[in-house]
């Protein structure tokens, strides 16, 4: 038997229903917030991610699926969504229209060669948004509000918002120097990866999962102390807007996030699943005012986030949230014999076209097994069609819960269901 590839998973059954519900909610959110749907290719030129995500990030150094196609092109399965969206934004010259920021959202699979474990897959799904063309702190607050409000709407209670700021280029430069000075005498006690990070991008040491929590990390310089006045003001305003939106947050001065190009605000939203550890981070994002330029576009501010769908689904499960998924059919149709099948099929399709969830016996089961199946499908009503019904055009509709029966003329059938079933 061929089995699924390590780090992948299948969706079906109840999980599939719940996932579809969450996806629907996401689409409704994006409509209301007026974000534009983007879909970019799952594979792109490898160089896009090397530059877009950053050469020194774990994602690029260790986690990408790189391959050559038959035309000898260097391609990569996208490990994240931002680089592709920015490529599209630049390539399609969407910066041409200055009247509004471009607010983009995307949803789809991402690929990272990671060690599979709970909450960590090699193919996983992300929902993300990017807003280009506004450096206003109000936009940072809007971006943070989207996951927070989505989680609230889903009923998640135990979520925590962590924010921090890296400041503008000048602040980052000052901070980088402070970090080099600070970590230099402590290099030996850092993990191998961090020694490498020290040379290439010392900021990334703070994002290390191995060294997290050690004294050296806790006492490391804080970005807050190296901010320019302008950067300070930006951060204060982001906080002001979050307060205005009643979004509770914690300033976590060690939060730097995984990408190389963040400027100003960075944030993460955490769930509280026991034993989930760092996999509790449901969503992360921030501002990246240099990234469009880095990918050869005009200087454009940007801010966005990406959320992992698998971890979100786990948090929903963990908090025992009942999502309003549909677990019943409205009507189950049983043609008694071959003779009544066509009529049954027509009725079935007609009810479906009027918005009722309808099933029919496809397999010529006997009545007893059909009743069992109707129960299993939680069918509210059952219609048995025999020769009498076919000749008289009068159907017997059985309420499968109260067991009451109703005689209804064929052309009044839809009226009956309209009166007795709430469509939503
Ligand atoms: P982590 O620190 O957990 O590795 P990250 O910093 O690599 O996360 P991002 O690149 O910011 O994560 O992706 C945003 C979100 O996507 C994460 O917060 C997480 O919910 C989800 N995510 C990232 N990698 C995976 C994965 N391998 N499997 C499932 N979800 C993931
Ligand atoms: Mg990661």
């Amino acid at each position: 038997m061929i089995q699924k590839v390590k780090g992948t998973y299948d969706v079906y059954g109840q999980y599939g229903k719940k996932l579809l519900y969450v996806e629907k909610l996401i689409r409704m959110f994006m409509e209301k917030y007026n974000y534009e749907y983007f879909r970019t290719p799952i594979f792109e030129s490898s160089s896009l991610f090397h530059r877009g995500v950053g050469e020194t990030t774990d994602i690029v150094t260790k986690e990408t699926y790189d391959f050559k196609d038959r035309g000898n092109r260097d391609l990569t399965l996208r490990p994240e969504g931002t680089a592709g969206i920015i490529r599209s934004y630049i390539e399609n010259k969407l910066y041409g229209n200055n009247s509004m920021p471009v607010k983009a959202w995307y949803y789809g699979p991402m690929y990272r060669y990671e060690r599979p474990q709970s909450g960590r897959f090699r193919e996983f799904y992300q929902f993300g948004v990017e807003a280009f063309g506004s450096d206003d702190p109000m936009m940072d607050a809007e971006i943070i509000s989207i996951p927070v409000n989505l989680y609230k709407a889903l009923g998640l209670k135990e979520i925590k918002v962590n924010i921090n700021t890296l400041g503008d280029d000048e602040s980052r430069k000052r901070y980088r120097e402070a970090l080099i000075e600070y970590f230099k005498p402590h290099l030996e006690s850092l993990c191998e990866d961090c020694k490498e990070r020290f040379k290439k991008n010392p900021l990334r040491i703070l994002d290390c999962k191995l060294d997290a929590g050690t004294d050296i990390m806790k006492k490391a310089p804080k970005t807050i102390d190296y901010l320019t006045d302008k950067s300070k003001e930006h951060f204060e305003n982001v906080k002001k807007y979050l307060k205005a939106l009643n979004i509770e947050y914690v300033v976590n001065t060690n939060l730097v996030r995984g990408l190389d190009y963040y400027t100003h605000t960075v944030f993460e939203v955490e769930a509280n699943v026991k034993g989930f550890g760092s996999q509790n981070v449901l969503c992360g994002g921030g501002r990246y005012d240099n990234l469009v330029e880095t990918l050869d576009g005009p200087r454009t501010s940007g801010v966005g986030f990406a959320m992992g769908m698998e971890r979100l689904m786990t948090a929903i499960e963990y908090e025992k949230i009942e999502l309003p998924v549909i677990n019943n059919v409205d009507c189950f149709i049983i043609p008694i014999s071959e003779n009544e099948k066509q009529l049954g099929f027509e009725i079935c399709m007609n009810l479906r076209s009027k918005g009722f969830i309808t099933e029919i016996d496809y397999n010529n089961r006997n009545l007893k097994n059909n009743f069992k199946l109707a129960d299993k499908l939680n069918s509210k009503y059952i219609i048995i069609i025999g020769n009498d019904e076919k000749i008289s055009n009068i159907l017997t509709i059985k309420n499968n819960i109260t067991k009451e029966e109703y005689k209804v003329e064929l052309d009044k059938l839809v009226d009956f269901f309209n009166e007795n079933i709430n469509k939503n």
Side-chain angles (χ1 to χ4, degrees):
M1 190 186 63
I2 299 171
Q3 295 185 327
K4 63 180 182 289
V5 173
K6 198 173 166 189
T8 66
Y9 66 99
D10 302 315
V11 170
Y12 53 87
Q14 208 56 23
Y15 185 90
K17 285 185 186 187
K18 290 181 185 170
L19 185 62
L20 281 179
Y21 174 80
V22 177
E23 289 176 1
K24 194 161 125 189
L25 196 66
I26 287 174
R27 277 204 293 278
M28 280 163 47
F29 256 72
M30 289 297 87
E31 232 168 67
K32 281 187 284 183
Y33 282 73
N34 197 33
Y35 281 66
E36 193 180 327
Y37 179 63
F38 274 59
R39 201 180 67 193
T40 60
I42 284 171
F43 54 85
E44 300 259 11
S45 299
S46 301
S47 54
L48 174 67
F49 300 112
H50 286 248
R51 264 207 276 161
V53 183
E55 299 277 5
T56 67
T57 58
D58 284 359
I59 300 181
V60 166
T61 53
K62 302 189 207 144
E63 299 173 1
T64 50
Y65 278 87
D66 300 310
F67 62 101
K68 276 192 193 293
D69 72 0
R70 289 165 198 267
N72 214 28
R73 296 174 188 88
D74 286 310
L75 304 178
T76 296
L77 295 183
R78 63 180 185 197
E80 57 93 56
T82 306
I85 300 280
I86 296 185
R87 197 240 345 108
S88 169
Y89 173 81
I90 298 170
E91 193 168 345
N92 295 302
K93 298 196 172 54
L94 303 180
Y95 45 80
N97 179 359
N98 283 329
S99 61
M100 258 300 281
V102 171
K103 303 200 295 178
W105 75 279
Y106 62 87
Y107 181 88
M110 306 295 161
Y111 299 84
R112 294 185 195 176
Y113 196 78
E114 301 207 64
R115 192 169 70 77
Q117 52 194 294
S118 61
R120 211 173 272 294
F121 297 87
R122 290 183 170 173
E123 179 188 73
F124 62 98
Y125 274 67
Q126 280 185 341
F127 155 50
V129 316
E130 319 291 349
F132 302 109
S134 169
D135 54 14
D136 198 300
M138 193 168 83
M139 192 58 101
D140 306 47
E142 170 166 311
I143 294 291
I144 297 170
S145 80
I146 296 172
V148 172
N149 289 336
L150 181 76
Y151 299 153
K152 266 188 204 155
L154 284 167
L156 284 173
K157 292 195 177 65
E158 303 198 34
I159 59 161
K160 187 176 144 201
V161 183
N162 291 301
I163 63 170
N164 191 21
T165 180
L166 304 177
D168 55 14
D169 292 342
E170 173 60 26
S171 319
R172 283 176 48 120
K173 200 169 140 252
R174 292 185 198 167
Y175 183 54
R176 189 189 146 92
E177 280 157 15
L179 283 177
I180 291 175
E181 202 166 308
Y182 172 79
F183 280 119
K184 209 170 196 171
H186 298 296
L187 268 187
E188 273 321 301
S189 51
L190 297 178
C191 77
E192 286 310 308
D193 280 347
C194 281
K195 286 180 187 138
E196 216 29 52
R197 289 172 184 134
F198 178 80
K199 287 185 224 150
K200 292 182 178 154
N201 185 356
L203 194 73
R204 300 208 27 76
I205 297 176
L206 298 173
D207 198 38
C208 178
K209 290 188 182 79
L210 284 178
D211 289 333
T214 59
D215 246 23
I216 298 174
M217 293 297 231
K218 279 189 209 149
K219 289 187 189 141
K222 317 245 172 282
T223 50
I224 305 268
D225 298 324
Y226 298 86
L227 298 177
T228 58
D229 287 346
K230 236 179 116 198
S231 296
K232 242 181 239 162
E233 190 191 334
H234 184 93
F235 194 47
E236 288 310 314
N237 279 324
V238 172
K239 291 192 284 185
K240 177 189 84 181
Y241 283 122
L242 289 177
K243 280 191 193 116
L245 299 177
N246 285 323
I247 293 177
E248 283 178 37
Y249 61 82
V250 176
V251 177
N252 174 351
T253 47
N254 272 354
L255 181 68
V256 292
R257 304 280 314 129
L259 290 169
D260 278 354
Y261 290 102
Y262 281 116
T263 50
H264 293 290
T265 317
V266 286
F267 75 98
E268 284 183 348
V269 186
E270 268 177 76
N272 186 20
V273 181
K274 270 216 178 66
F276 221 31
S278 65
Q279 275 82 278
N280 261 316
V281 180
L282 299 183
C283 146
R287 182 168 274 288
Y288 45 83
D289 289 343
N290 299 326
L291 192 49
V292 177
E293 214 175 4
T294 302
L295 291 171
D296 302 329
R299 181 155 183 91
T300 311
S301 342
V303 50
F305 71 76
M307 80 169 60
M309 295 303 291
E310 295 75 14
R311 295 184 194 180
L312 173 56
M313 297 308 288
T314 304
I316 288 171
E317 193 85 346
Y318 187 80
E319 286 202 28
K320 297 195 171 57
I321 291 167
E322 298 276 345
L323 298 179
V325 298
I326 296 171
N327 275 322
N328 57 275
V329 309
D330 295 325
C331 182
F332 186 72
I333 296 172
I334 308 173
I336 293 285
S337 74
E338 203 57 38
N339 224 0
E340 296 85 26
K341 246 180 165 171
Q342 188 183 324
L343 176 61
F345 200 29
E346 284 168 14
I347 293 173
C348 173
M349 288 300 187
N350 186 35
L351 286 177
R352 285 173 178 170
S353 76
K354 298 293 186 300
F356 301 104
I357 307 168
T358 315
E359 263 305 0
I360 184 166
D361 171 28
Y362 302 93
N363 297 30
N364 307 316
R365 289 181 187 79
N366 63 32
L367 262 183
K368 192 174 143 221
N369 284 336
N370 266 324
F371 285 140
K372 265 198 207 156
L373 181 56
D375 285 345
K376 198 173 154 203
L377 295 169
N378 290 321
S379 190
K380 290 179 200 154
Y381 292 93
I382 296 176
I383 303 179
I384 303 168
I385 309 172
N387 199 34
D388 289 354
E389 283 77 14
K390 194 177 162 189
I391 291 168
S392 66
N393 272 338
I394 295 176
L395 302 172
T396 304
I397 305 176
K398 185 173 153 190
N399 182 319
N400 198 30
I401 298 154
T402 63
K403 307 297 173 196
E404 276 169 289
E405 293 192 351
Y406 309 86
K407 298 271 181 218
V408 177
E409 281 174 48
L410 185 54
D411 54 11
K412 298 269 165 32
L413 191 63
V414 172
D415 296 341
F416 175 88
F417 279 99
N418 272 330
E419 277 162 32
N420 289 285
I421 283 187
N422 277 334
K423 279 187 284 189
N424 38 10

